[in-house]
Amino acid sequence: LFPYTTLFRSRVLKDNPRLVGARKLMQETSYVEDDVWHIKSGDTIYRVIYPTDMRVENAKCTCAWYLKHQNSRGPCKHILAVKLKKEV
């Protein structure tokens, strides 16, 4: 069971580069107030609004990915970083 789980996890991460990016950003993710989070990526600080209903499809971000896709292709790595941080 363990080798399968490890193989499955590595395959999931390989197939989802935004999830890999989100894991790297978790340490740079901080709660500000209400539903607002700041995520530092390089020299830029992105603002994520992650609603209290905990539904990732209702979250919003100031990054180019979100502005272009509006969650239609899944959440951006910044929204995923907040989701992961909240689950810890």
Side-chain angles (χ1 to χ4, degrees), residues 32-47:
V32 179
E33 63 184 353
D34 296 325
D35 299 334
V36 178
W37 293 74
H38 284 173
I39 298 88
K40 186 171 191 251
S41 181
D43 293 331
T44 306
I45 296 177
Y46 296 98
R47 180 180 169 150

Side-chain angles (χ1 to χ4, degrees), residues 8-9 18 26 43 49-50 55-56 58 70 76 83:
F8 179 75
R9 184 171 183 266
R18 281 178 280 148
M26 280 180 66
D43 293 331
I49 298 174
Y50 200 100
R55 297 184 64 185
V56 72
N58 293 334
Q70 301 281 317
C76 68
K83 180 178 179 2

Side-chain angles (χ1 to χ4, degrees), residues 2 14 18 26-27 42-43 47 49 51-52 54 59 75 80 82-83:
F2 181 75
K14 179 180 167 245
R18 281 178 280 148
M26 280 180 66
Q27 291 184 354
D43 293 331
R47 180 180 169 150
I49 298 174
T52 54
M54 300 288 288
L80 287 173
V82 171
K83 180 178 179 2

